[in-house]
Structure formats: C-alpha cells, structure tokens
Amino acid sequence: MSAVLEPQGQAGHHEDHDHHPTGWRRWLFATNHKDIGTMYLWFSFSMLLVGGVLALGIRTELFQPGLQVVQPELFNQLTTMHGIIMVFGAIMPAFVGFANWMVPLQIGAPDMAFARMNNLSFWLVIPAGLLLVASFFVPGGATAAGWTLYAPLSIQMGIGMDLAIFAIHILGASSIMGSINIVTTILNMRAPGMTLMKMPLFVWTWLITAYLLIAVMPVLAGAITMILTDRDFGTAFFNAAGGGDPVMYQHIFWFFGHPEVYIMILPAFGIVSEIIPTFSRKKLFGYSSMVYATASIAILSFVVWAHHMFTTGMPLTGQLFYMYATMLIAVPTGVKIFNWLATMWRGAMTFETPMLFSIGFIVVFTIGGLTGIILSVAPLDIQLHDTYYVVAHFHYVLVAGSLFALFAGVYYWLPKWTGHMYNEGLGKLHFWLSMIFFNVTFFPMHFLGLAGMPRRYADYPMQFADFNLVASIGAFGFGFAQLVFLYCVIKCINGGEKAKANPWDAKDGGLEWTVPSPAPFHTFETPPTVNK
C-alpha cells in the first residue's frame, strides 16, 4: 500500500492547536494515544527488568550443582513469577504500547476510539504489576505453582497465590478493554480511501490479535476464578477428593494458553513485515497471503491446545488429532517466513539495527518453530515433556521471537517518537550482544533436555554441569545487553541527530511517515486521504 497524503491531512502545522497538559497531570489523566503508548512501553520495560532479575536468580542457583544460593521453595517462586511477569507484565503490555502509538498514526486516525477507556486500561496494569512483585513479601512468599498455575499445586499455595490471581484478573480486564479499543479504532477510524487490504500489516496483525484476546482472556479469568473458589470458598472444581478433576484445569488453561502464544507473536510478525520491505527497498512479497496466513494461524490456534497435554493419558485418537493440527499450523507460519525471504531476495538491502533484529528474528524464530514441530510429534513430546528442551523451545519463540521484534520496532520507530536518530553503533552493539548471549544461554538447553534434565528443579546431577554453566554465563551477558539498550534509548530521547519525517525513506507502510518527527501531540485533526 503506497499511501499518499492530501495536503489537508498534514499535521504539525497547527501550533496554536498543539497544546497539551504538562507535569504529572499530563500522564495521570492522559487520553492521548501517544502518551499512553509511551507509558505502556516504559511499564513493560520496567517489568522486563524485574522478570530478568528473577531469571538471573534462577540461573545463579543453576550455575553449578550443589549450590544453595536460594532455597528450593524460593527457586520455584522465581521460576513461576519470572514466567507470569514476562508474559503478562512485559511482552503483552509492550505490544499494546506499540498498538497505542502506531495504529492511529498508521491508519490516519486522530486518536484511539475510546480515549478515556484507554487511560483506564493502562492505569489498571500498574497495581497489577505491584501486586505481582508484592506477592514475594507476604507470608509463604509468591506462588510456586509454575506460570501455568496447575491444580492441585495452585490450590495448596499461600496468600501469594491469591495476589497473583487478582493481578491476572486486573491485567485481563485491561487487555480486553485495550482490544475492544483497537478493534473499534481500526474498523471505524481509518483514513478515507484506506480499505482493509490497504492497511499496513502491523495494523492487520493487531486487529486479529485483538479478536484473539477478546476470545480467550475470559477463559483464563474463568480458570483462575475456579482456582480461587477451590482455595477460599470450598468448591471442588479441580480437587479430586471432592469429585473434581485437575486435568480439566489443564484443558481450560491451554484453551487460553495456546492462542496466548499467538497473541504474543502475531504483532511481532506485523512489526517485522513493516521493517523488512523498508530496508530491502522493495514492496512486501505476497501482502494478501500474509494477511490470510495471519488469520489462519489465529483460527488454528483454537484447535491445538491439548498438544501441551500428551502425557495426561489422552486417547490415541486425540493424540493424532492434536499432532496433525499442530503440524498444520506450521504451514501459514512457513508462508510468512518464505514471504520475508522473498522480500529480501535481490533487494537493495542495508543493515541498520531494525533490519538486524528482524533478520535475527527470522533466523532464531525459525529454530524455535522447528523445535516446536519436533514437540508436536506425540511420542517425542512424551520423552521431552517438562525437560529443558521445552524451555529452549519456548524461549527461542518468545525471546528471539516477540522480544527481538519489539527491539526491532523500537529502533525503527524511535526517530518518529523522539525526533532524534538513535546511536547506530550502540544499537548494533545491543543486537550482537543480545544475539550471541541469547544463543549461548538457550541453545545448550536443547542438549540438556535431550539428555533428560527436567525443568523447575533447583539442583541437578554432575552430568548436566557444563551446559548449565555455559547457560548461566550467557544469561548474565544477555541481561547486560539490555542495559545497553536502555542507555541507547535514553541517549536518543535526550538528543542526537534530528530525524526527518521519513528517516528510513520507507516507500510502503502506513501514514506515520507523512507527519513530522517527532509526531505532533495531535495528528490528523483533518482526515488524510489515501489516494493510491
């Protein structure tokens, strides 16, 4: 989609209207999509650092066999809260922040459809994040039931479990409100002339993601509410002694949990689909097939949930169905990867930081996808279930998938957000440190899993020592790399080379490149017209 802006759509030439509140009121009462997007991004990065510190606690304990840096009970709390904070506190709010910032800019909307609801959906995440962190300091500590909160463990935990349930409820309400806002904005506030099949792919992926969130967040709410009533109100949904079934919880959780995996990766696909054509100096190969592939992934994500449950005594027919359905979902994902490669093929490529992270994303996400295919085969999965092979698989998908795409997006749109170009040397340093140390951390875990090392154990026998040592060193290097990222972003906010309206000379993409950098506080007060 080649977007051309009619003159009446230009923003930034109305300084008399470009007033905005200042001080703490600007942020507390924010209804501007850019301010709310900024707050989401800073919140998610702060939670990334919290979750990262917990991860370093895990890797410190596993540095050598026989170490007792933390007690096993605390170790299990660290593994559980690391997962919950990273998924619900870091990755999901970061993508919502991107949606807030970029969706109105890309489709020519003046703001999100429901500006005050947007404010509420952000301010709900702050107390939820504080509750998750505070749960470490209540009697009995945080929940240690694993991020999936499986019954019956989650029914036996202390008060920290109740705090986690409350926090996830609040985060779920925030996600649902944000999703309704995004769907309404995209469907009703596009610039005249921008049909659905002219929308930037980031907007498409978020439209589909928002529908997924609206569909599955209530399912998670139901599952954790049943845990809450089992714990505190005498019900027996998942208590076998009272006639309940703990495996039923797994079914309900994973009916949410598998679409959730795609909620965390589809917007990443959208970001990468914006960046690769820009730095390949070509149009995206197969735009419509990318849209249909995204929708196919979303639909198929609802019928593969029990591939997480091959070891629960599933009948053979069920195993075969979920095995084939899981393999089928690799087809539209493969379509996307081939389309990105075809876009780069014979393009006039340059390798600025956003492009480096996008190529790194494709390479390492593909490895994660291939290990996912291996885990889809029921006999193999039964051997590898709950081993470090699974840990390696989902970190390749979620860190090198979601997180690398988020970094790519930050570097890509940072000039538009701040009005300054970031330091390219620091950006490339961040990429190479992240890429190298990520693989040093997680690639050895494949071998640990194949050798039979179970996850969530605070100690291990001597034969697993070498790979764990390497992984722990890599984890600290990866953590340091994110401090380089923080320094690079703050340096860019505080100054640097002035950014043009279209610093990357992007030919495709959305209408964000038609407004000045930094994007004015109010944009598109007069609707632009897309005439190509």
Side-chain angles (χ1 to χ4, degrees), residues 460-480:
Y460 53 87
M462 200 66 206
Q463 69 257 35
F464 301 134
D466 293 345
F467 281 137
N468 271 298
L469 178 74
V470 170
S472 290
I473 292 169
F476 278 89
F478 189 74
F480 169 74

Side-chain angles (χ1 to χ4, degrees), residues 163-436:
L163 293 184
I165 289 172
F166 191 31
I168 293 169
H169 266 306
I170 298 170
L171 289 164
S174 168
S175 292
I176 291 168
M177 285 194 289
S179 301
I180 291 169
N181 214 342
I182 289 163
V183 169
T184 310
T185 304
I186 294 170
L187 294 185
N188 295 316
M189 297 176 69
R190 297 192 307 283
M194 184 179 282
T195 60
L196 284 175
M197 292 308 280
K198 284 183 181 175
M199 293 195 312
L201 257 170
F202 178 68
V203 179
W204 255 118
T205 54
W206 244 116
L207 178 65
I208 291 165
T209 301
Y211 276 118
L212 278 179
L213 275 163
I214 294 165
V216 302
M217 289 312 290
V219 177
L220 175 66
I224 59 176
T225 302
M226 285 190 270
I227 283 181
L228 189 71
T229 58
D230 275 12
R231 289 170 54 78
D232 301 320
F233 300 106
T235 57
F237 291 111
F238 309 127
N239 184 352
D245 183 4
V247 176
M248 181 173 74
Y249 174 82
Q250 296 189 30
H251 278 289
I252 301 169
F253 178 86
W254 285 115
F255 188 79
F256 148 81
H258 205 81
E260 167 68 12
V261 172
Y262 294 100
I263 285 164
M264 291 189 286
I265 202 65
L266 291 183
F269 290 163
I271 291 171
V272 170
S273 300
E274 299 288 318
I275 293 170
I276 284 177
T278 296
F279 295 99
S280 300
R281 309 310 187 277
K282 283 174 65 182
K283 285 181 76 69
L284 181 72
F285 180 87
Y287 171 92
S288 55
S289 66
M290 292 289 262
V291 173
Y292 296 134
T294 307
S296 305
I297 290 168
I299 292 162
L300 287 170
S301 72
F302 284 101
V303 295
V304 297
W305 78 88
H307 68 206
H308 298 268
M309 300 170 56
F310 284 145
T311 57
T312 57
M314 190 187 299
L316 184 61
T317 316
Q319 289 190 21
L320 286 171
F321 171 81
Y322 288 108
M323 189 164 94
Y324 294 142
T326 306
M327 291 178 177
L328 188 61
I329 212 166
V331 176
T333 311
V335 166
K336 288 180 166 299
I337 289 166
F338 283 119
N339 282 18
W340 291 324
L341 295 177
T343 304
M344 290 188 281
W345 177 252
R346 305 189 82 167
M349 289 169 65
T350 54
F351 298 99
E352 289 87 350
T353 308
M355 187 62 162
L356 286 177
F357 268 108
S358 298
I359 294 170
F361 165 91
I362 294 171
V363 171
V364 192
F365 177 79
T366 303
I367 295 172
L370 290 171
T371 57
I373 294 287
I374 289 165
L375 289 169
S376 74
V377 182
L380 288 175
D381 182 81
I382 289 166
Q383 289 297 313
L384 296 170
H385 190 79
D386 263 345
T387 69
Y388 265 78
Y389 192 89
V390 178
V391 177
H393 158 68
F394 65 69
H395 281 90
Y396 265 77
V397 173
L398 278 182
V399 181
S402 303
L403 191 63
F404 276 22
L406 284 165
F407 288 146
V410 169
Y411 286 113
Y412 186 56
W413 283 307
L414 202 56
K416 182 58 62 183
W417 298 343
T418 65
H420 303 123
M421 298 303 291
Y422 62 87
N423 183 309
E424 192 67 57
L426 280 174
K428 287 180 174 172
L429 176 66
H430 173 226
F431 168 73
W432 286 111
L433 287 175
S434 295
M435 188 72 171
I436 291 165

